[in-house]
């Protein structure tokens, strides 16, 4: 799923679509997507180690955290760990927006959905807890303690938060213009849609399949899933 997030950013930044259009039409076999994935393929074994194709978030974070990588792309939690007192790279790094393609910079939206189970014996208490976690103070505390981005815009203007986490003001614009994975269009088939996408991209990055061939196959698979 991490590769789906990264690949969507590359594709969208090149103007190559966003996996599924709002009406559910597949958007993967596009000139922008091919250009983006061919470029990313050339990173492997040059500016990135070949092992990066097996990394998940924590494996990549540890390489950067130990001072063995010049750049690192991760979720905001990585900032708090890298800036902690025991971190070997504390004070030696910064955070910025992702590099731009032909259409600008694109960042995939992540997050946690808060819900109350229909099976709970304590629906009122659970709803109250969800309401609490949604408050400005709770989001402010999570920002200060763990570097988590807020969904409440006023947290990005909080002077204590911006003093402790200077990149928060930059992230506000990123949050407002983020690209989303097609969970609404795919509905209950999202996992299958994502798997078809990241498998095709992975085959391009390994050099096993040409970009055009891989994306043609991914588009056929997506149409089959959604049909």
């Amino acid at each position: 799923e991490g590769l789906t997030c990264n690949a969507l950013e590359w594709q969208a930044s090149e103007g190559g679509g966003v996996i599924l259009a709002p009406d559910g039409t597949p958007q993967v076999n596009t000139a922008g997507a091919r250009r983006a994935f061919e470029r990313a393929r050339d990173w492997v074994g040059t500016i990135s180690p070949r092992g990066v194709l097996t990394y998940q978030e924590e494996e990549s974070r540890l390489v950067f955290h130990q001072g063995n990588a010049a750049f690192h792309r991760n979720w905001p939690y990585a900032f708090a760990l890298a800036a902690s007192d025991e971190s070997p790279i504390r004070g030696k790094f910064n955070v910025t927006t992702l590099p731009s393609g032909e259409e600008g910079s694109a960042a995939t939206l992540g997050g946690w959905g808060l819900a109350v189970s229909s099976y709970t014996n304590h629906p009122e208490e659970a709803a109250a807890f969800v309401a609490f976690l949604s408050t400005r103070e709770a989001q402010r505390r999570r920002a200060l303690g763990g570097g988590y981005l807020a969904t409440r815009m006023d947290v990005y203007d909080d002077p204590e938060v911006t003093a402790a986490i200077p990149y928060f003001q930059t992230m506000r614009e990123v949050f407002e213009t983020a690209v989303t994975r097609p969970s609404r269009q795919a509905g209950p088939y999202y996992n299958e849609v994502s798997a078809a996408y990241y498998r095709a991209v992975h085959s391009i990055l390994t050099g096993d399949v040409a970009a055009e061939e891989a994306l043609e196959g991914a588009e056929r698979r997506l149409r089959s899933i959604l049909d």
Side-chain angles (χ1 to χ4, degrees), residues 75-214:
W75 301 107
Y77 82 94
F79 172 84
L81 296 173
S84 64
D85 291 340
E86 62 274 14
S87 170
I89 59 171
R90 176 181 171 86
K92 300 178 181 179
F93 72 96
N94 208 335
V95 178
T96 189
T97 54
L98 292 169
S100 297
E102 289 193 2
E103 295 295 320
S105 178
T108 299
L109 182 68
W112 293 267
L114 304 176
V116 176
S117 171
S118 60
Y119 297 99
T120 182
N121 293 323
H122 304 280
E124 293 182 3
E125 293 89 339
F129 185 58
V130 168
F132 163 74
L133 290 177
S134 303
T135 63
R136 178 182 185 278
E137 184 53 36
Q139 294 201 20
R140 182 176 174 276
R141 186 182 300 116
R142 283 175 60 77
L144 290 169
Y148 293 99
L149 297 183
T151 59
R152 300 180 67 102
M153 291 297 101
D154 53 1
V155 177
Y156 293 88
D157 299 322
D158 186 289
E160 186 178 358
V161 172
T162 54
I165 314 173
Y167 78 90
F168 241 61
Q169 290 182 318
T170 301
M171 293 301 106
R172 175 174 183 156
E173 180 180 351
V174 171
F175 176 64
E176 291 176 334
T177 60
V179 291
T180 58
R181 286 165 278 179
S183 57
R184 181 186 61 78
Q185 299 94 311
Y189 303 104
Y190 174 77
N191 285 344
E192 294 177 66
V193 166
S194 180
Y197 182 67
Y198 67 64
R199 286 171 181 158
V201 175
H202 188 267
S203 70
I204 298 169
L205 298 181
T206 60
D208 292 339
V209 184
E212 185 171 1
E213 180 184 350

